[in-house]
Amino acid sequence: MAASKFKMFKSLYLKDLREARVEVLIVAIATLVSILWIFAKTEGDSRMIIMVPAVALMGLAGFLPVITSFRILGREWGQNTIYLMMSLPVSGTMMLGSKLLVLLSEYLAGTLLVGTISSIAIIISFPDLLPELNRQADLILMTKILISLYAASIAAIVYLFSCSFLSQLFGKLFSRASGFITLVVFLLLLFGPGKFSPELGWNLHYQATDIASSIAFIWIYVGITLVLALLLLAASVWIWERKMEL
Amino acid sequence: MIEFRQVSKRFGSVVALDGVDIHFPQGSICGLFGPNGAGKSTIMKLITGINYPDQGEVMVRGAAPKAQRQLVAYLPEVDHLYPWWKLAQAARFMSAFYPDWDESRYKGLLSFLQLDEQMVIGKISKGQRAKAKLLLVLSRRAPYLLLDEPFSGIDLLTREEIANALIEGYREGEQTMIISTHEIDEVESLVDRVVFIEQGRIQLQDDAEQLRLKRNQSLVEIMKEVFRNGSQQV
C-alpha cells in the first residue's frame, strides 16, 4: 500500500507554512495599526495619506516572502533536517513544490491583506470616490489593468523564488564559498534575463500604444516570466534529485 | 538484502570508501563497527540514497536505494527533527509518508521509552532526543532499519534503555537492522553479523557467533585485534 501523495504534499506544506505565518501576521498588524493611527490623527482629505503606509506595506508584503525563500530552504541544512527531508520517499518536485506554494501563499495572503484593508479604509474615508470613479472612468477596464498587474507581480515573485531555490541548491554543491556562490548565481539569474534579452520584462510595455495592448503585453510578460521560472524550478528539481548529497 | 559491489566514495581528497564489498543478509541484525571516520556513516547514507557512489553499485532489494526509500527507516547520527515539533507532530508527519507506520507500536514504545507526546523536541535533553529519534524509526514496520551511532553522547542508563527498545521493537526474520557504532560493547549481544571497517576499507565481515567461536574472543577483543593488525578479510 502506498502513502497518499496528497497527504504527503499537505504534510510538507503545513510544516513549512509555519515559517510564513509570522510574516503574514506582522504585515497584517502593521497595516491595521498604521491605518487606525491615521484614522485617529487625521480627518477629511488628509486621510489620503493612507496611501503611503499602504504602498510601503505592499512592498514589505512582497519583499518578506523572498527572505522566507532563503530561510525555508537554508534552515533545512542549518538544523540538519535536510537528513529527514532527503530520506523521505518523495520527489524533488513535491519537496520544492510544497515550499513554493508556501511562499506563494505568504505573498498572496500578505498583499491581499494590505490591499483589502487599505481599500476598505479608503472607501470608508471617501464614500464618494467609487461613484465618482465609476462616472469618470471605465471600472471594468481598471479592474482588468489591476488584475493583469497583480498577475505580473505574482509571475515576478515566482521567478524570484525560483532564482532563490536554484541559487541555493547550486551553492550547496560546493563545500567551500557556498554562500558566495549562492549570491553570485542569484544575482546572475535575477538580472541575467533582462540583460541578455532587451525584449523581455518591463521593456515590453513601451511598445504598447493603448491600454488594451498594454494589458496584452503585461500578459505576455506574465507568460514569459512563468516559463523562465518553470525552467529554473526544473533545474532546481534536477539538482535536488540527482546531485544533492550530504 | 542490501549489497555493496566495489563501492568507492570520495569527499574531496578524503577517501570515505575504497572498493567496498558488503553483504547485509535479509532478516538479521548487522553491526557496522569501526573508529570515527571509518566510513560507517557514508555506508548508511549510500543505503538511504542521500549519497551516491563514485564507483561501484549499491543495491537495496535489487534496486537503486533512491527507489527503495519507503522501505528504509533511517536514524542519522545528527539531530534531524525540527526543534519546534512536539513528539506528536513528528509522529503525525512521519505517518503521512510511510504506510508501514504502526500507531499501536508507537504508543507502546512511547510508554516503554518514557516519552510524552507533548514534549517539544528542541527543549528535551540529549538522551530524550535520542530516544525520540529511535521511537520514530522503530514505530515503522520498515523492512530495513538503519541506525547510525544511536548511542553517541548518551549516558549509560539511556543507552541501556535504547538497547532494550531495539530488542523490543525488532521483528526477527522480517527486518534487517544495521547498527553503526564505535561503541561495540553496547550491541555485542544483539548482532548476528559484524562488519569491521577502517579508513574506508572492510577489515573483516562474518557471522558474529562463528567469529566468537573461531577466535574464542568477544567482539570488542576481535575489533581491537583487527584494527591493530590491519586487513584480515574473511
Side-chain angles (χ1 to χ4, degrees):
Chain A
M1 191 179 69
S4 145
K5 286 216 161 45
F6 174 73
K7 211 171 153 189
M8 291 186 195
F9 189 85
K10 189 179 148 200
S11 295
L12 289 170
Y13 175 76
L14 290 178
K15 168 186 72 65
D16 284 328
L17 195 61
R18 187 185 176 277
E19 296 279 342
R21 270 193 323 213
V22 178
E23 273 87 347
V24 173
L25 206 66
I26 288 171
V27 168
I29 291 171
T31 310
L32 277 173
V33 168
S34 58
I35 285 172
L36 287 175
W37 188 80
I38 289 169
F39 262 62
K41 295 283 176 187
T42 60
E43 277 178 9
D45 287 352
S46 55
R47 276 197 182 163
M48 249 320 173
I49 203 168
I50 285 171
M51 291 305 287
V52 176
V55 169
L57 288 164
M58 193 63 94
L60 185 71
F63 177 69
L64 284 178
V66 181
I67 304 285
T68 312
S69 75
F70 281 92
R71 218 181 42 222
I72 209 170
L73 204 55
R75 268 198 190 169
E76 303 284 15
W77 274 267
Q79 295 178 332
N80 285 327
T81 48
I82 188 69
Y83 280 83
L84 176 64
M85 292 299 106
M86 286 192 69
S87 60
L88 290 175
V90 297
S91 65
T93 310
M94 189 185 283
M95 190 62 73
L96 296 179
S98 64
K99 290 186 188 298
L100 184 73
L101 192 62
V102 166
L103 296 170
L104 204 55
S105 306
E106 183 185 342
Y107 177 77
L108 293 175
T111 51
L112 289 175
L113 265 171
V114 175
T116 310
I117 295 172
S118 309
S119 303
I120 292 170
I122 287 171
I123 289 168
I124 292 171
S125 307
F126 306 99
D128 299 334
L129 190 67
L130 263 185
E132 185 65 20
L133 267 176
N134 201 18
R135 205 167 50 80
Q136 291 193 1
D138 183 350
L139 271 186
I140 294 173
L141 188 66
M142 276 180 66
T143 310
K144 277 184 182 171
I145 294 171
L146 279 177
I147 289 173
S148 59
L149 284 175
Y150 194 51
S153 80
I154 292 171
I157 204 82
V158 169
Y159 182 76
L160 267 173
F161 297 151
S162 312
C163 293
S164 162
F165 284 176
L166 184 56
S167 59
Q168 287 182 81
L169 292 176
F170 189 79
K172 293 291 176 202
L173 297 178
F174 301 88
S175 52
R176 284 182 193 166
S178 169
F180 178 70
I181 293 166
T182 298
L183 178 70
V184 170
V185 174
F186 180 72
L187 293 175
L188 278 175
L189 292 172
L190 196 59
F191 297 113
K195 200 91 180 156
F196 296 113
S197 174
E199 292 301 312
L200 210 68
W202 295 113
N203 295 332
L204 279 169
H205 82 272
Y206 290 122
Q207 297 170 18
T209 50
D210 54 27
I211 292 177
S213 56
S214 284
I215 293 173
F217 276 122
I218 290 172
W219 283 108
I220 293 171
Y221 161 78
V222 169
I224 293 171
T225 310
L226 285 179
V227 168
L228 282 175
L230 214 63
L231 288 174
L232 299 190
L233 282 172
S236 308
V237 168
W238 184 80
I239 291 178
W240 179 277
E241 286 186 345
R242 303 285 174 92
K243 295 287 167 197
M244 199 50 68
E245 288 190 276
L246 297 176
Chain B
M1 189 174 77
I2 298 173
E3 245 182 318
F4 279 59
R5 293 185 203 130
Q6 281 298 299
V7 174
S8 296
K9 180 71 188 170
R10 294 176 77 99
F11 294 103
S13 58
V14 179
V15 179
L17 294 176
D18 188 7
V20 161
D21 285 299
I22 320 177
H23 169 73
F24 296 105
Q26 190 73 34
S28 59
I29 302 182
C30 303
L32 191 56
F33 303 133
N36 290 328
K40 303 186 296 292
S41 293
T42 306
I43 289 175
M44 295 296 209
K45 288 193 265 185
L46 285 165
I47 299 171
T48 318
I50 57 180
N51 272 162
Y52 306 103
D54 296 334
Q55 278 171 12
E57 198 176 36
V58 180
M59 302 294 266
V60 178
R61 268 201 194 167
K66 208 144 202 175
Q68 304 284 46
R69 277 180 298 187
Q70 73 282 4
L71 303 179
V72 177
Y74 172 51
L75 183 149
E77 187 181 2
V78 295
D79 285 335
H80 67 308
L81 302 173
Y82 290 92
W84 49 266
W85 259 349
K86 284 181 181 168
L87 214 42
Q89 284 176 297
R92 204 162 44 242
F93 183 82
M94 299 301 274
S95 67
F97 293 90
Y98 300 104
D100 57 19
W101 179 265
D102 186 336
E103 192 63 24
S104 62
R105 191 186 179 93
Y106 163 70
K107 296 281 183 199
L109 279 166
L110 197 67
S111 98
F112 184 82
L113 289 165
Q114 293 167 304
L115 292 168
D116 188 316
E117 276 199 308
Q118 295 310 309
M119 284 174 163
V120 178
I121 285 162
K123 290 183 179 170
I124 55 181
S125 70
K126 193 171 181 182
Q128 283 175 318
R129 270 205 304 276
K131 289 199 281 183
K133 281 161 63 182
L134 193 72
L135 166 74
L136 296 174
V137 166
L138 294 181
S139 296
R140 287 182 55 199
R141 292 190 173 271
Y144 300 100
L145 301 177
L146 309 183
L147 312 174
D148 193 1
E149 301 284 3
F151 307 104
S152 176
I154 307 298
D155 65 74
L156 271 173
L157 283 176
T158 312
R159 281 182 197 193
E160 209 172 283
E161 281 183 70
I162 288 177
N164 289 338
L166 289 179
I167 301 165
E168 172 85 9
Y170 179 66
R171 286 177 303 137
E172 205 174 341
E174 289 174 53
Q175 287 184 308
T176 305
M177 188 189 288
I178 304 173
I179 308 171
S180 131
T181 182
H182 55 269
E183 287 155 289
I184 190 168
D185 43 341
E186 299 295 341
V187 289
E188 163 128 31
S189 59
L190 297 180
V191 295
D192 306 316
R193 195 171 168 79
V194 290
V195 177
F196 292 108
I197 182 169
E198 191 180 30
Q199 291 181 333
R201 289 185 178 192
I202 302 298
Q203 302 293 344
L204 178 68
Q205 57 178 320
D206 205 347
D207 180 90
E209 196 49 42
Q210 277 182 18
L211 259 182
R212 282 194 206 97
L213 289 172
K214 245 192 283 181
R215 298 187 177 222
N216 199 23
Q217 289 173 309
S218 70
L219 290 180
V220 178
E221 288 165 333
I222 295 169
M223 182 174 87
K224 282 180 188 165
E225 201 177 287
V226 166
F227 292 149
R228 260 200 300 265
N229 300 338
S231 181
Q232 303 177 25
Q233 193 152 347
V234 175

